[in-house]
Amino acid sequence: MSEPLLKVRDLRKYFPIDSPIPFKRSNQSVKAVDGVSFDVMPGETLGVVGESGCGKSTMARLVNQLIPPSSGTVEFRGENLVGMDAKKLRETRKSIQMVFQDPYASLDPRKTVGELIAEPLVIHRIGDKASQKKRVLELLEVVGLSHYHAKRYPYEFSGGQRQRINIARALVLNPDIIICDEPVSALDVSVQAQVINLLKELQRDYNLTYIFISHDLNVVRYMCDRIAVMYLGKIVEMGTYKEIYENPKHPYTKALLSAIPKESPHDNKERIILKDAVPNPINPPTGCHFHERCPYMMDICSTKIPQLMDTGNGHIASCHLLEEN
Amino acid sequence: MSNELLKVENLEVQFKSGSTVTKAVNGVSFTLNRKENIGIVGESGSGKSVTATSLLRLIPSPPGHISGGKILFEGKDLLTLSDKEMRDIRGNDISMIFQDPLTSLNPVFTVGDQIMESIKLHQKVSKKEAKQKAIQMLQLVGIPAPEKRLNMYPHEFSGGMRQRVMIAIALSCNPKLLIADEPTTALDVTVQAQILELMKKLQDEFNTSIIMITHDLGVVWEICHKVLVMYAGNVIEYGTVEEIHDHPMHPYTWGLLDSQITENIEDHEMLTTIPGSPPDLRQEIKGCPFAPRCSYTQDICFSKAPEMVEVKEKHFVACHFQTKENRLNRKERSTHVRAVVKS
């Protein structure tokens, strides 16, 4: 088996909370990402799912060091990005690019599309003006736009087209890995399908690796090879998409899957309706973070934190129910 | 009492800006019975929300105005009512839930104030009684410790909780009709399931009819009895959910159903998409609005607009080739135009 492209070990990010008393330090913090470990293999797509506030997006930002982690390591091609000196990090980051959720907010309205796509090349001083222009036109074609679009401004484009521009920006430096943070959530279904097809084609043509963050479970199943389910800053279950969808182990994963809307009016879906919403991350429940909402709660759940256990087929989950069997 | 609650006939809404006129809604007709739910689906810009907001005459005017048609609510044409009569209907007989629960609640008033506002406006009750009613409503929508929550501000609530508050406000006067404009789009799947469950439960309790605007067909299968498929301001297909799901007829509906990601899609199969993008409504559309994106077109599609035809009982389609006499053969998924991203 080949070496993983990205190796994340025990990654943590605690955001301190402002104390209500001015100038006084608070010792409370939000544990946005709390001990996350995973590998990403070259050419694969790792999906990350979970409810809002579970730390998906924070994790994405930690992986390419947009925010410094509190502890843990992120190894890219064997080199730890955490604590790497700024110059070298900048060089390495060329290979790790991001596509953000909101296609409206992530493009500078005062730049033309050509300037936007060329920006990474300018920043990294790659090529002269002419070769940069050539590369921009090349990429416009790759993402399904036309050459004349280079002279236009973002407001002239629809949401789907803007997301194509964002993808072109991410591709311009020939990255190895692209972190997609909810890239299709803001789009209509028919447009969503177009963007997903584009991402799939690009993966095939350029041998890209994706970390694909989404709360749409249907999209994740379609896009991803492996899936990590997050809950309150922790990965509670991870495995191949087949394992996760056909043989979910963690009660939270089961509830998430049962909440997917029906596929036809004739479906009679058994629903596991979860109570309440995600608990306050400042004061997470003791023991298993999920126990207050879990339909299978046992005594041990409120006292002891379950560990991730291997259940075979590269499938891991953290639940006390699994330990019993 | 007739069973028919709402009848919309040929509704037309236009927006004027300078010399350009945008025809946002172009002759929408449907009927809604009591205790019945109808879903309105379509892409952004297809006129779903404009249709729904004009039912309550909430279209900002100018630039918008309802240029034609009738909205018969229990036999009364809402378009002929005075502003005062209309205010009596809003929030009382017909109420609305909007997509974004954060922007639709007022941040400087407590949740209790906002629920009590519509109760006090429409019912002759004392402040105390209104407060009691508000507590009862919060309890009904499943908010724990309602007495305490009543004095809290919207920012202290999560997205799902805010949407529950919106539902509590909307249902506080026992409306006959609830218009829900993408009520679950901004929410997580788990919370979406909770909210849909809640809406179903409350519907049984209050005998309310619901107009559900959404672009998620899953939500439609979940709670609606009928569906209206809109495209570029026109209704292009209309029927019961079972009919639309099992025997869709309009090529646009086919495209919409095919671009959904379902369990049956095989690994690494490309998704089917609808090529192109919706037309610019500022320009006069000649012929069928979907024709430029349709893979079944013939000459007539570009010159003559198709009429709505009742092809089967309670199944209406607007397509030249889907009539009582003619039928189109739906192409196999794989032969659809696909991977159009490169075109």
Side-chain angles (χ1 to χ4, degrees), chain A residues 181-219:
Chain A
D181 190 357
E182 308 249 17
V184 295
S185 309
L187 307 175
D188 268 326
V189 231
S190 51
V191 183
Q192 190 173 320
Q194 293 175 4
V195 173
I196 289 173
N197 278 349
L198 173 66
L199 286 170
K200 277 243 168 188
E201 273 180 26
L202 294 174
Q203 178 162 45
R204 199 185 50 212
D205 297 350
Y206 299 95
N207 193 26
L208 289 170
T209 306
Y210 291 133
I211 296 181
F212 194 91
I213 296 169
S214 180
H215 65 255
D216 187 329
L217 294 145
N218 281 330
V219 173

Side-chain angles (χ1 to χ4, degrees), chain A residues 232-243:
Chain A
L232 274 184
K234 283 187 180 355
I235 289 179
V236 294
E237 185 161 5
M238 184 157 61
T240 60
Y241 80 100
K242 273 217 160 82
E243 276 285 316

Side-chain angles (χ1 to χ4, degrees), chain A residues 50-53 56 141-145 158 161 164 185 187-198 200-201 204-205 215-219 221-222 225 241-242 252 255-256 258-266 269 271-278 293, chain B residues 42-45 48 142 144 158 161 164 185 187-194 196-197 200 215-219 221-222 241-242 245-246 252 255-256 259-277 293 338-343:
Chain A
E51 288 169 279
S52 14
K56 309 187 291 285
E141 252 169 62
V142 167
V143 298
L145 295 170
S158 67
Q161 286 175 317
R164 286 169 196 263
S185 309
L187 307 175
D188 268 326
V189 231
S190 51
V191 183
Q192 190 173 320
Q194 293 175 4
V195 173
I196 289 173
N197 278 349
L198 173 66
K200 277 243 168 188
E201 273 180 26
R204 199 185 50 212
D205 297 350
H215 65 255
D216 187 329
L217 294 145
N218 281 330
V219 173
R221 179 185 52 209
Y222 176 71
D225 302 307
Y241 80 100
K242 273 217 160 82
Y252 179 62
L256 269 185
S258 85
I260 302 177
K262 287 185 190 178
E263 290 197 351
S264 91
H266 312 297
K269 247 183 128 156
R271 275 274 150 73
I272 308 170
I273 300 273
L274 289 179
K275 282 176 288 181
D276 311 328
V278 184
R293 302 172 76 193
Chain B
E43 287 171 278
S44 350
K48 322 184 281 287
S158 66
M161 284 292 191
R164 282 165 199 265
T185 309
L187 306 173
D188 277 321
V189 263
T190 49
V191 184
Q192 167 170 301
Q194 288 172 5
L196 291 179
E197 205 64 25
K200 275 192 257 179
H215 64 253
D216 187 348
L217 284 165
V219 173
W221 309 144
E222 201 74 51
V241 275
E242 288 82 9
H245 179 271
D246 299 341
Y252 177 67
L256 211 56
S259 51
Q260 304 267 314
I261 304 176
T262 60
E263 262 171 52
N264 308 328
I265 291 193
E266 295 192 11
D267 295 5
H268 309 299
E269 183 187 349
M270 278 291 177
L271 295 172
T272 321
T273 60
I274 308 171
S277 47
R293 301 173 74 187
R338 56 155 55 162
V340 280
V341 282
K342 288 243 166 100
S343 65

Side-chain angles (χ1 to χ4, degrees), chain A residues 58-115:
Chain A
T58 307
M59 196 196 71
R61 283 163 175 72
L62 288 173
V63 166
N64 69 354
Q65 301 292 302
L66 286 177
I67 45 175
S70 307
S71 71
T73 59
V74 179
E75 273 179 33
F76 177 72
R77 294 193 185 286
E79 278 185 288
N80 189 359
L81 302 182
V82 181
M84 189 182 263
D85 78 88
K87 212 171 158 192
K88 205 169 167 206
L89 181 63
R90 197 166 172 170
E91 208 48 38
T92 320
R93 266 212 205 113
K94 281 191 207 166
S95 317
I96 311 175
Q97 293 291 324
M98 251 183 120
V99 175
F100 295 96
Q101 171 171 12
D102 188 344
Y104 294 87
S106 45
L107 294 172
D108 184 342
R110 301 204 298 178
K111 288 199 163 109
T112 63
V113 167
E115 286 167 347

